Amino acid sequence: MNGTFFEPAFSHVYVEERAADLPQTKRILQKLPDAHVIMIRHYKDVFNFSGQDARIQSRSLSLILADEPDPRVYRGAPVCQDFGNKAFYYTSTVMNCVYDCEYCYLKGMYPSANLVVFTDQSRTFAEVDRLLALYPVYLCISYDTDLAAIEPLTGFLQEWYAFAAERPDLTLEIRTKCANKGLLSTLPALSNAIWAFTLSPDAVADRYEKKAPGLSMRIAAARLAVSRGIPVRLCFDPMLRFPGWEEEYRKLAQTVREAFKPGQIRDISIGSFRIGAQYLGQLRARHPDSALAQYPYKVCGGVAGYGEKSREMTAYMTGLLDGWIGRGKMFLWEEQEV
């Protein structure tokens, strides 16, 4: 670190005035007794101010506790797979992630690396209930963060589980790279709460997914989830293109085929790397040293990706897994769908 001293993560906590008395705010602060707490008027005063350096912030994350304005539930973006669900939504009770994946769209979406946690979940639940009164809902709750990775701090997943247990028309998707076996051992196995594990080749995980558990740890966590009857989705998404990518993804597919029986897996997701063109521009400006950001992507419909090479990559991974799991359990993202 060139002699520079960085405080531990969350040594500084900014608290919105209107969120200060919320029970969830108090509960989180109790878990950080040594943190320096700073009261603020609005989370954007800290999160959105100009001149931030997210690369430096990522070495010593601060936490911002806030009360999110409505609405809190949004239609799913076209760059994301809906898995055949018409009522496909997401909610962001947390903005940003404790992991530091080089390719993450959050680096282009947000000017800060710090985490914002919206601590009043009751209003989010109320919005979901209003939607459920109209139709069944498929809801991604770990969309702009990795909720499982910060569950010891927030306890949000436990609250979502209690909520979903009483609402059979609600299906939760929990996308994660987390390998917290303790968490997976204690949460109940709900048929309407899907754990979607992002699996990357070792070459990708080691180089581009800083702070995230490695492949073997994620597979071990997914195997534990399967053993407990938790619905598991395996996500080969995003696939990255780099020299030797074919061999790395071949080894990944072989590892997965040896670790799981196909009947144990709910389904799989396959898709190449893509990012909103606007976010890519910000990512390049904020991280000019990133080889991934500087790749000559092609833009189609406002989305940057690998162009015609995207179909090649998707077809390659599909072929590696064909015969192990049925095509009916494969969900593919391809650029021409955007």
Side-chain angles (χ1 to χ4, degrees), residues 29-261:
L29 289 176
Q30 287 175 353
K31 296 180 180 180
L32 300 169
D34 297 326
H36 181 48
V37 178
I38 306 162
M39 301 302 298
I40 57 175
R41 183 188 64 83
H42 195 281
Y43 79 89
K44 290 184 179 180
D45 295 342
V46 175
F47 192 66
N48 287 9
F49 78 87
S50 60
Q52 299 184 73
D53 190 330
R55 292 173 297 180
I56 293 178
Q57 289 174 336
S58 66
R59 301 179 185 179
S60 179
L61 295 178
S62 292
L63 181 66
I64 305 170
L65 303 180
D67 186 17
E68 183 182 19
D70 296 332
R72 297 178 169 212
V73 181
Y74 309 90
R75 281 280 183 181
V79 292
C80 300
Q81 296 200 51
D82 60 16
F83 300 96
N85 296 279
K86 293 182 179 179
F88 168 54
Y89 290 86
Y90 76 95
T91 183
S92 294
T93 50
V94 178
M95 296 164 58
N96 259 338
C97 184
V98 292
Y99 299 145
D100 189 18
C101 300
E102 186 174 324
Y103 55 78
C104 186
Y105 71 94
L106 297 177
K107 293 181 179 294
M109 184 175 180
Y110 298 137
S112 174
N114 295 323
L115 264 69
V116 178
V117 176
F118 297 113
T119 54
D120 184 2
Q121 290 227 102
S122 63
R123 284 169 41 211
T124 305
F125 293 156
E127 280 194 43
V128 176
D129 273 335
R130 286 194 288 271
L131 292 173
L132 288 171
L134 302 175
Y135 37 64
V137 171
Y138 184 91
L139 183 67
C140 299
I141 62 172
S142 191
Y143 203 80
D144 293 337
T145 190
D146 193 317
L147 270 188
I150 56 172
E151 176 66 6
L153 178 67
T154 67
F156 282 179
L157 282 182
Q158 293 186 39
E159 295 178 1
W160 276 111
Y161 260 68
F163 182 75
E166 298 179 353
R167 292 160 177 82
D169 285 343
L170 173 64
T171 300
L172 302 179
E173 184 204 67
I174 304 157
R175 187 72 179 264
T176 189
K177 294 185 178 85
C178 185
N180 188 336
K181 290 186 176 181
L183 176 61
L184 288 164
S185 298
T186 55
L187 287 174
L190 293 183
S191 61
N192 58 336
I194 303 164
W195 279 68
F197 289 90
T198 298
L199 301 183
S200 305
D202 285 319
V204 170
D206 294 345
R207 180 174 179 181
Y208 299 118
E209 297 175 349
K210 289 177 287 185
K211 301 183 183 178
L215 174 61
S216 61
M217 295 179 67
R218 292 180 221 174
I219 287 180
R223 283 171 57 90
L224 173 61
V226 163
S227 72
R228 297 202 60 244
I230 295 172
V232 167
R233 168 177 296 143
L234 301 181
C235 302
F236 307 92
D237 183 1
M239 292 179 65
L240 301 184
R241 194 175 185 92
F242 53 90
W245 69 269
E246 298 100 324
E247 175 61 14
E248 292 298 328
Y249 282 99
R250 185 199 65 77
K251 291 190 292 186
L252 172 61
Q254 183 62 33
T255 298
V256 168
R257 293 174 70 124
E258 292 173 355
F260 303 96
K261 297 178 181 178

